[in-house]
Amino acid sequence: MTARIPPIQCLLTFEALARLRSVTLAAEELCVTPSAVSHRVKQLEQIIGTKLFGRADFSLTTEGSEYLAHVREGLASLERFPGKDAAQGKRKLRVAVTPTFSRSILMPRLRGFIEAYPEIDLTLQVSIPLLDVVAEDADLMIRFGTGRYADVEHVCLMTDEVTPLAAPSYIRANGPFDSIEELLTAKLIKSPLEPWRTWFLAHGVDAGEPGEGSSFNDIGLMCDAAAQGLGIALVRLKLGQPWLENGTLERISDRNVPSPHAHYLCWRTGTMDRWECAAFAEWLKKSLA
């Protein structure tokens, strides 16, 4: 009888392909090649002796739909094991995330994930942006930087553009700032996360970082400082959207410049074998698309 039980890799691949309806997406989620996905599904069909997918769009056959229900029930049972979490029967997922990404990007979307995956208990823990200091026990990590991470597997989640923002009162009292020369004479708020050199070079000016002025290693704190009228901040538009929407910050230029950094979802090899990790990664990529 045990000879008729398919390999777990085949069952996981079948479930992912049935859910995502894309060989490419299933391969990305499982961290295997597309050919491996196709091979595993064919192997499963040979073992159970029936066709699971009917058409090229990966719609399920009647037998495939019935078998999928059994597979999901079986996988859920296998993930339950004796221990302190057995009574709740929930999967635990720990994600380390940078503060302003969490506030501006993740939190407004998080209800969608909780409602879609009520069987997952999610824990968010703050990490230091750019410095890549994260809790050792995090399952997934959202890092901000250049993407050169040799210690983990990763995928780019979100790029962004920067533009100078300031409080309306500061602009009225000290503006307008129609030229780089006028901007250079203003109080510029600094951050190692978003160097002013990016903006200056885009305007043909090889100016270094301001020698004076407040500095913050968190974009949210930098936006709060600018909103208090402490100066002008170079801010990524997606992260700065809450301040723009509530009117505490305004643009001083119509131009946007690509940021040299981006947000990346990172994980250690083997992490995506866990269903809850793969589910969160896929949900996050789709919600940011």
Side-chain angles (χ1 to χ4, degrees):
M1 181 177 292
T2 56
R4 298 294 298 171
I5 298 177
I8 188 68
Q9 293 90 343
C10 294
L11 299 177
L12 289 169
T13 302
F14 169 55
E15 192 283 329
L17 187 57
R19 174 166 40 86
L20 300 173
R21 299 181 69 168
S22 165
V23 170
T24 301
L25 292 178
E28 290 179 357
E29 178 174 301
L30 298 169
C31 299
V32 298
T33 63
S35 61
V37 171
S38 300
H39 174 75
R40 290 177 180 180
V41 171
K42 289 180 181 178
Q43 182 183 1
L44 179 60
E45 290 178 332
Q46 290 173 355
I47 292 173
I48 65 176
T50 189
K51 194 77 172 174
L52 297 172
F53 295 98
R55 296 190 298 273
D57 64 352
F58 299 107
S59 57
L60 293 165
T61 62
T62 301
E63 294 82 2
S65 296
E66 182 180 353
Y67 191 60
L68 177 62
H70 293 305
V71 169
R72 285 178 170 165
E73 181 181 357
L75 292 175
S77 297
L78 288 174
E79 289 190 348
R80 301 188 190 102
F81 53 88
K84 63 179 181 180
D85 299 324
Q88 294 91 336
K90 287 200 171 188
R91 301 172 176 89
K92 305 296 182 182
L93 176 61
R94 295 159 297 185
V95 180
V97 59
T98 54
T100 310
F101 182 94
S102 178
R103 181 201 294 185
S104 298
I105 305 298
L106 186 56
M107 293 306 296
R109 296 168 168 81
L110 196 58
R111 181 175 180 177
F113 176 78
I114 300 300
E115 292 178 347
Y117 298 96
E119 64 271 56
I120 297 177
D121 272 343
L122 178 65
T123 298
L124 296 181
Q125 46 201 66
V126 174
S127 63
I128 301 175
L130 196 63
L131 301 179
D132 297 322
V133 178
V134 298
E136 288 297 325
D137 59 351
D139 301 309
L140 301 172
M141 299 152 278
I142 297 176
R143 295 184 180 183
F144 177 71
T146 60
R148 293 191 289 269
Y149 305 127
D151 58 327
V152 291
E153 299 181 56
H154 57 276
V155 62
C156 183
L157 286 176
M158 187 179 78
T159 58
D160 210 340
E161 296 179 313
V162 295
T163 198
L165 303 180
S169 59
Y170 184 88
I171 298 174
R172 288 194 302 268
N174 301 279
F177 303 97
D178 296 325
S179 67
I180 289 294
E181 289 72 20
E182 292 172 327
L183 186 61
L184 285 168
T185 63
K187 291 182 179 179
L188 301 182
I189 300 174
K190 301 180 294 181
S191 173
L193 305 175
E194 215 61 73
W196 275 100
R197 184 175 174 80
T198 300
W199 184 259
F200 295 145
L201 286 177
H203 289 78
V205 177
D206 189 7
E209 290 301 292
E212 300 179 352
S214 302
S215 180
F216 301 89
N217 75 338
D218 174 69
I219 298 298
L221 291 176
M222 185 172 67
C223 288
D224 286 339
Q228 293 297 319
L230 301 185
I232 302 174
L234 186 63
V235 179
R236 274 168 277 145
L237 285 171
K238 292 175 184 175
L239 294 192
Q241 197 60 36
W243 288 268
L244 288 168
E245 289 179 351
N246 64 28
T248 55
L249 289 179
E250 290 183 0
R251 301 172 63 116
I252 68 169
S253 171
D254 293 330
R255 184 176 181 182
N256 303 334
V257 173
S259 170
H261 303 123
H263 284 91
Y264 295 84
L265 180 66
C266 307
W267 64 92
R268 298 177 183 87
T269 301
T271 298
M272 289 304 175
D273 291 340
R274 293 171 50 195
W275 176 82
E276 63 270 23
C277 295
F280 182 85
E282 187 60 32
W283 168 82
L284 187 57
K285 287 187 289 185
K286 286 184 177 180
S287 67
L288 296 179

